[in-house]
Amino acid sequence: MSRLDDVRAAMGRAGVDALWVSAPANVRALTGFSSGADGKVLVLAGEATLYTDARYTVQAREESSVPQHIARPPETYEHAAERVRGLRVGFEAEHLTVAGLEDLRAHWDAALVPTRGLVEALRRVKTAQEVAAIREAQALADRVFGEVRPLIRAGVREIDVALALELGLRRAGAEVGFDVIVASGPRGAMPHGVASERVIEDGDLVTVDFGARLRGYHSDMTRTVAVGTPSEEMRRVYNAVLEAEEAAVAAVRPGVTGGELDALARGILERHGLGEAFAHSLGHGVGLNVHEGPGLRKGSEDVLEPGMVVTIEPGAYLPGVGGVRIEDLVLVTEGGHEVLSRTPKENV
């Protein structure tokens, strides 16, 4: 079955006859159109249409796997109105704005039904082509990190490391997937400590979290590296996080839940007295969005399936002292898993 066929089956389960798709990543997933922020998709039982404007006439024709209608609102809504009259039309409640919903109500003689996560649930399991794109993005990021690693030394600003990573990704033909995190010394206690002008010092641990976006698909990896000789306490924290990370990666396989993996890693950190220092979930899915399902967090009942790509990224953060996070990108396979991130984890 194609992804559109899967969407139609999901529409049936949701009790809707049509679906108005407005989330950019979902637009791209269903059509291949790479400017999803400027597109919408109407999915019906027997057809699908991509709506975008004249700036994208050529691009939409080249990229979209479904027919296109080139127009701006309100003509967009008027064109779709003929197709949805009298139908129950699902809309993406987490993405459609209030103004957008009011526009649909003004132009359509249809019952508008909110839906949540209908397309996102289908996107959790990647196609072979999607896995190949993510694999290539991660290989590119590994290569760039290897090139930049010698720059991470005392006397260098965090922002200079981030800029080198961003430039490396661009030169390699990728986009920067998200704001690069470079957090050194005490700033390592901030899980989302984007690069600052702080100068890296001897004895610092430096956490680097970055990813490439290639043909729309993301990679995501974190490494914490030592500059000089860190304190005994931070070495202890590093090795505890590494133990938790490696145990959770080893446990990735079909049938395990995100909550079970989170509990495994969290339990190890708790035994090291770092349970409260683990301030976020264990991981998440990666694809057209850098954060998507499944969720690997406390209590998550999301079940891993072959074809899912997830992160495993435990961390421990000590305010005023520093922090450690180690993250791998992992493909769930029929027989277990494959680690896509190949950058070595350093001994500290």
Side-chain angles (χ1 to χ4, degrees):
M1 292 176 66
S2 70
R3 186 160 276 167
L4 276 173
D5 290 332
D6 291 336
V7 169
R8 291 181 177 109
M11 287 161 47
R13 294 190 294 270
V16 297
D17 309 302
L19 183 67
W20 182 250
V21 179
S22 56
N26 292 342
V27 170
R28 182 164 189 167
L30 297 183
T31 68
F33 180 55
S34 62
S35 296
D38 291 312
K40 303 289 188 293
V41 181
L42 177 63
V43 182
L44 296 162
E47 63 178 305
T49 304
L50 168 67
Y51 290 93
T52 189
D53 63 70
R55 294 173 296 170
Y56 301 102
T57 301
V58 174
Q59 179 184 334
R61 184 170 60 242
E62 291 180 350
E63 294 181 343
S64 177
S65 59
V66 305
Q68 311 93 49
H69 184 80
I70 306 300
R72 287 184 178 274
E75 203 278 329
T76 295
Y77 306 128
E78 293 165 357
H79 181 272
E82 297 300 317
R83 290 159 172 76
V84 301
R85 181 172 289 111
L87 301 182
R88 288 174 56 82
V89 183
F91 65 90
E92 296 181 309
E94 295 169 303
H95 303 286
L96 187 66
T97 65
V98 173
L101 179 57
E102 290 177 346
D103 287 340
L104 298 186
R105 286 173 172 161
H107 289 89
W108 290 359
D109 179 16
L112 295 173
V113 181
T115 67
R116 290 175 178 264
L118 192 151
V119 179
E120 287 87 346
L122 302 176
R123 286 174 39 216
R124 292 182 178 190
V125 175
K126 273 54 182 178
T127 66
Q129 293 79 11
E130 289 176 314
V131 171
I134 296 169
R135 187 191 301 277
E136 187 177 349
Q138 181 57 55
L140 187 152
D142 281 324
R143 185 169 69 252
V144 170
F145 185 85
E147 295 168 353
V148 174
R149 174 62 183 93
L151 182 63
I152 307 175
R153 62 181 187 272
V156 175
R157 298 181 305 168
E158 293 174 350
I159 197 168
D160 293 322
V161 176
L163 288 171
L165 290 167
E166 293 175 7
L167 183 58
L169 292 174
R170 291 288 188 177
R171 283 177 169 166
E175 298 172 273
V176 181
F178 50 89
D179 289 342
V180 176
I181 292 171
V182 181
S184 63
R187 292 192 73 253
M190 296 187 290
H192 283 181
V194 295
S196 73
E197 293 189 7
R198 184 184 187 273
V199 176
I200 297 170
E201 299 177 2
D202 188 68
D204 282 349
L205 288 183
V206 183
T207 297
V208 179
D209 185 349
F210 83 116
R213 183 167 61 241
L214 194 63
R215 299 193 302 280
Y217 289 88
H218 290 80
S219 70
D220 192 2
M221 177 182 72
T222 306
R223 292 292 184 264
T224 298
V225 301
V227 174
T229 303
S231 68
E232 285 296 322
E233 173 64 4
M234 292 311 298
R235 290 175 63 190
R236 183 187 76 84
V237 172
Y238 179 91
N239 286 309
V241 172
L242 180 61
E243 179 186 343
E245 200 267 350
E246 291 183 338
V249 168
V252 172
R253 65 184 185 278
V256 69
T257 68
E260 289 169 340
L261 291 173
D262 182 279
L264 172 62
R266 201 169 297 276
I268 292 172
L269 290 175
E270 287 173 352
R271 289 197 295 274
H272 286 280
L274 296 169
E276 292 186 2
F278 184 12
H280 52 73
S281 61
L282 178 65
H284 52 84
V286 175
L288 285 170
N289 291 326
V290 72
H291 291 96
E292 56 185 48
L296 280 64
R297 59 183 177 274
K298 186 175 182 179
S300 172
E301 297 181 355
D302 291 349
V303 179
L304 298 194
E305 301 177 39
M308 290 181 172
V309 178
V310 300
T311 66
I312 300 292
E313 50 178 308
Y317 310 93
L318 307 178
V321 180
V324 174
R325 182 166 67 256
I326 303 170
E327 174 187 23
D328 277 314
L329 189 62
V330 183
L331 170 67
V332 185
T333 64
E334 294 285 351
H337 67 271
E338 176 189 351
V339 179
L340 301 181
S341 41
R342 303 298 179 88
T343 295
K345 299 159 197 169
E346 300 182 11
N347 294 321
V348 169

Short mmCIF file of all heavy atoms in Angstrom, two decimals, residues 315-348:
data_model
loop_
_atom_site.label_atom_id
_atom_site.label_comp_id
_atom_site.label_asym_id
_atom_site.label_seq_id
_atom_site.Cartn_x
_atom_site.Cartn_y
_atom_site.Cartn_z
N GLY A 315 20.91 11.99 29.71
CA GLY A 315 21.81 13.07 30.13
C GLY A 315 21.73 13.27 31.62
O GLY A 315 20.81 12.80 32.29
N ALA A 316 22.71 13.98 32.15
CA ALA A 316 22.72 14.36 33.56
C ALA A 316 23.26 15.77 33.65
O ALA A 316 24.31 16.08 33.06
CB ALA A 316 23.58 13.40 34.38
N TYR A 317 22.54 16.63 34.38
CA TYR A 317 22.83 18.06 34.38
C TYR A 317 22.91 18.56 35.82
O TYR A 317 21.95 18.43 36.59
CB TYR A 317 21.75 18.81 33.60
CG TYR A 317 21.50 18.18 32.25
CD1 TYR A 317 20.49 17.22 32.08
CD2 TYR A 317 22.31 18.47 31.15
CE1 TYR A 317 20.29 16.61 30.85
CE2 TYR A 317 22.11 17.87 29.92
CZ TYR A 317 21.10 16.93 29.78
OH TYR A 317 20.91 16.31 28.57
N LEU A 318 24.07 19.11 36.19
CA LEU A 318 24.32 19.57 37.55
C LEU A 318 24.49 21.09 37.53
O LEU A 318 25.53 21.60 37.11
CB LEU A 318 25.58 18.91 38.10
CG LEU A 318 25.62 17.37 38.01
CD1 LEU A 318 26.95 16.84 38.55
CD2 LEU A 318 24.44 16.75 38.76
N PRO A 319 23.48 21.84 37.96
CA PRO A 319 23.55 23.30 37.92
C PRO A 319 24.79 23.84 38.62
O PRO A 319 25.13 23.41 39.72
CB PRO A 319 22.27 23.73 38.65
CG PRO A 319 21.32 22.60 38.43
CD PRO A 319 22.17 21.36 38.47
N GLY A 320 25.45 24.77 37.94
CA GLY A 320 26.65 25.38 38.48
C GLY A 320 27.90 24.56 38.30
O GLY A 320 29.01 25.03 38.59
N VAL A 321 27.76 23.32 37.83
CA VAL A 321 28.91 22.42 37.69
C VAL A 321 29.14 22.04 36.24
O VAL A 321 30.21 22.28 35.66
CB VAL A 321 28.72 21.15 38.55
CG1 VAL A 321 29.93 20.22 38.40
CG2 VAL A 321 28.51 21.52 40.02
N GLY A 322 28.15 21.43 35.61
CA GLY A 322 28.28 21.01 34.22
C GLY A 322 27.28 19.93 33.89
O GLY A 322 26.37 19.64 34.67
N GLY A 323 27.43 19.32 32.74
CA GLY A 323 26.50 18.29 32.33
C GLY A 323 27.07 17.39 31.26
O GLY A 323 28.12 17.67 30.67
N VAL A 324 26.35 16.30 31.01
CA VAL A 324 26.75 15.30 30.02
C VAL A 324 25.51 14.82 29.29
O VAL A 324 24.47 14.55 29.92
CB VAL A 324 27.44 14.09 30.68
CG1 VAL A 324 27.73 13.00 29.65
CG2 VAL A 324 28.71 14.51 31.40
N ARG A 325 25.57 14.73 27.99
CA ARG A 325 24.55 14.03 27.20
C ARG A 325 25.27 13.25 26.11
O ARG A 325 26.20 13.78 25.48
CB ARG A 325 23.51 14.96 26.61
CG ARG A 325 22.43 14.22 25.82
CD ARG A 325 21.19 15.06 25.51
NE ARG A 325 21.44 16.15 24.59
CZ ARG A 325 21.53 17.43 24.96
NH1 ARG A 325 21.44 17.77 26.23
NH2 ARG A 325 21.75 18.38 24.06
N ILE A 326 24.82 12.04 25.88
CA ILE A 326 25.36 11.21 24.80
C ILE A 326 24.16 10.68 24.02
O ILE A 326 23.22 10.14 24.61
CB ILE A 326 26.21 10.05 25.34
CG1 ILE A 326 27.35 10.59 26.22
CG2 ILE A 326 26.76 9.20 24.19
CD1 ILE A 326 28.10 9.51 26.99
N GLU A 327 24.19 10.85 22.71
CA GLU A 327 23.03 10.52 21.89
C GLU A 327 23.45 9.79 20.62
O GLU A 327 24.33 10.24 19.90
CB GLU A 327 22.29 11.80 21.50
CG GLU A 327 21.14 11.61 20.54
CD GLU A 327 20.55 12.92 20.07
OE1 GLU A 327 21.28 13.95 20.12
OE2 GLU A 327 19.38 12.94 19.64
N ASP A 328 22.77 8.67 20.38
CA ASP A 328 22.93 7.95 19.12
C ASP A 328 21.61 7.95 18.36
O ASP A 328 20.52 8.00 18.94
CB ASP A 328 23.38 6.51 19.37
CG ASP A 328 24.88 6.39 19.58
OD1 ASP A 328 25.62 7.01 18.81
OD2 ASP A 328 25.29 5.71 20.53
N LEU A 329 21.73 7.85 17.04
CA LEU A 329 20.58 7.71 16.14
C LEU A 329 20.49 6.23 15.77
O LEU A 329 21.46 5.64 15.28
CB LEU A 329 20.79 8.57 14.90
CG LEU A 329 19.61 8.72 13.94
CD1 LEU A 329 18.43 9.40 14.64
CD2 LEU A 329 20.02 9.52 12.72
N VAL A 330 19.32 5.63 16.02
CA VAL A 330 19.19 4.18 15.95
C VAL A 330 18.01 3.79 15.07
O VAL A 330 16.89 4.30 15.24
CB VAL A 330 19.00 3.59 17.38
CG1 VAL A 330 18.94 2.06 17.32
CG2 VAL A 330 20.12 4.04 18.30
N LEU A 331 18.25 2.87 14.15
CA LEU A 331 17.21 2.29 13.30
C LEU A 331 16.73 0.99 13.91
O LEU A 331 17.54 0.12 14.25
CB LEU A 331 17.78 2.03 11.90
CG LEU A 331 16.91 1.20 10.95
CD1 LEU A 331 15.64 1.94 10.57
CD2 LEU A 331 17.72 0.82 9.68
N VAL A 332 15.42 0.86 14.09
CA VAL A 332 14.85 -0.40 14.56
C VAL A 332 14.75 -1.35 13.37
O VAL A 332 14.18 -1.00 12.33
CB VAL A 332 13.46 -0.18 15.18
CG1 VAL A 332 12.92 -1.49 15.76
CG2 VAL A 332 13.51 0.90 16.26
N THR A 333 15.31 -2.53 13.51
CA THR A 333 15.32 -3.52 12.43
C THR A 333 14.48 -4.73 12.84
O THR A 333 14.04 -4.85 13.98
CB THR A 333 16.75 -3.99 12.14
OG1 THR A 333 17.28 -4.66 13.29
CG2 THR A 333 17.65 -2.79 11.80
N GLU A 334 14.26 -5.63 11.88
CA GLU A 334 13.49 -6.84 12.18
C GLU A 334 14.13 -7.65 13.31
O GLU A 334 13.44 -8.21 14.16
CB GLU A 334 13.39 -7.72 10.92
CG GLU A 334 12.57 -7.10 9.80
CD GLU A 334 11.07 -7.15 10.05
OE1 GLU A 334 10.65 -7.82 11.02
OE2 GLU A 334 10.33 -6.50 9.29
N GLY A 335 15.46 -7.68 13.32
CA GLY A 335 16.15 -8.48 14.32
C GLY A 335 16.65 -7.72 15.52
O GLY A 335 17.25 -8.31 16.42
N GLY A 336 16.43 -6.42 15.59
CA GLY A 336 16.92 -5.65 16.73
C GLY A 336 17.10 -4.19 16.38
O GLY A 336 16.15 -3.42 16.33
N HIS A 337 18.34 -3.81 16.08
CA HIS A 337 18.60 -2.40 15.78
C HIS A 337 19.91 -2.26 15.04
O HIS A 337 20.74 -3.17 15.02
CB HIS A 337 18.65 -1.58 17.07
CG HIS A 337 19.82 -1.91 17.95
ND1 HIS A 337 19.79 -2.89 18.92
CD2 HIS A 337 21.09 -1.40 17.99
CE1 HIS A 337 20.95 -2.98 19.51
NE2 HIS A 337 21.77 -2.09 18.97
N GLU A 338 20.07 -1.06 14.45
CA GLU A 338 21.33 -0.66 13.82
C GLU A 338 21.64 0.77 14.26
O GLU A 338 20.78 1.66 14.13
CB GLU A 338 21.24 -0.72 12.30
CG GLU A 338 22.49 -0.23 11.59
CD GLU A 338 22.32 -0.09 10.09
OE1 GLU A 338 21.27 -0.54 9.56
OE2 GLU A 338 23.22 0.48 9.44
N VAL A 339 22.81 1.00 14.79
CA VAL A 339 23.21 2.35 15.19
C VAL A 339 23.71 3.07 13.95
O VAL A 339 24.68 2.65 13.31
CB VAL A 339 24.30 2.31 16.28
CG1 VAL A 339 24.72 3.74 16.65
CG2 VAL A 339 23.80 1.57 17.51
N LEU A 340 23.04 4.17 13.61
CA LEU A 340 23.38 4.93 12.41
C LEU A 340 24.49 5.94 12.67
O LEU A 340 25.22 6.30 11.74
CB LEU A 340 22.15 5.64 11.85
CG LEU A 340 20.96 4.75 11.48
CD1 LEU A 340 19.83 5.60 10.92
CD2 LEU A 340 21.37 3.66 10.48
N SER A 341 24.60 6.45 13.89
CA SER A 341 25.64 7.42 14.22
C SER A 341 26.93 6.65 14.54
O SER A 341 26.97 5.84 15.44
CB SER A 341 25.22 8.28 15.42
OG SER A 341 24.58 7.51 16.41
N ARG A 342 27.98 6.97 13.79
CA ARG A 342 29.22 6.18 13.88
C ARG A 342 30.36 6.93 14.59
O ARG A 342 31.43 6.36 14.76
CB ARG A 342 29.66 5.78 12.47
CG ARG A 342 28.62 5.00 11.67
CD ARG A 342 28.30 3.67 12.35
NE ARG A 342 27.29 2.90 11.63
CZ ARG A 342 27.56 2.04 10.65
NH1 ARG A 342 28.82 1.90 10.26
NH2 ARG A 342 26.60 1.38 10.06
N THR A 343 30.15 8.18 14.97
CA THR A 343 31.21 8.92 15.66
C THR A 343 31.53 8.22 16.98
O THR A 343 30.63 7.96 17.78
CB THR A 343 30.75 10.37 15.93
OG1 THR A 343 30.57 11.03 14.69
CG2 THR A 343 31.79 11.12 16.75
N PRO A 344 32.80 7.93 17.23
CA PRO A 344 33.16 7.23 18.48
C PRO A 344 32.79 8.04 19.71
O PRO A 344 32.77 9.27 19.69
CB PRO A 344 34.68 7.06 18.37
CG PRO A 344 34.98 7.20 16.91
CD PRO A 344 33.97 8.16 16.36
N LYS A 345 32.49 7.31 20.78
CA LYS A 345 32.29 7.95 22.08
C LYS A 345 33.62 7.91 22.81
O LYS A 345 34.23 6.85 22.95
CB LYS A 345 31.22 7.21 22.87
CG LYS A 345 29.87 7.21 22.17
CD LYS A 345 28.98 6.09 22.68
CE LYS A 345 27.84 5.86 21.71
NZ LYS A 345 27.08 4.64 22.00
N GLU A 346 34.07 9.07 23.23
CA GLU A 346 35.43 9.19 23.75
C GLU A 346 35.52 8.73 25.20
O GLU A 346 34.55 8.80 25.97
CB GLU A 346 35.89 10.64 23.63
CG GLU A 346 35.89 11.13 22.18
CD GLU A 346 36.40 12.55 22.04
OE1 GLU A 346 36.96 13.09 23.03
OE2 GLU A 346 36.25 13.13 20.95
N ASN A 347 36.68 8.24 25.57
CA ASN A 347 36.96 7.93 26.97
C ASN A 347 37.27 9.22 27.72
O ASN A 347 38.04 10.05 27.23
CB ASN A 347 38.15 6.97 27.09
CG ASN A 347 37.84 5.60 26.51
OD1 ASN A 347 36.73 5.08 26.66
ND2 ASN A 347 38.81 5.01 25.82
N VAL A 348 36.67 9.39 28.86
CA VAL A 348 36.87 10.62 29.65
C VAL A 348 37.49 10.26 30.99
O VAL A 348 37.08 9.28 31.61
CB VAL A 348 35.53 11.36 29.84
CG1 VAL A 348 35.66 12.47 30.85
CG2 VAL A 348 35.03 11.89 28.50
#
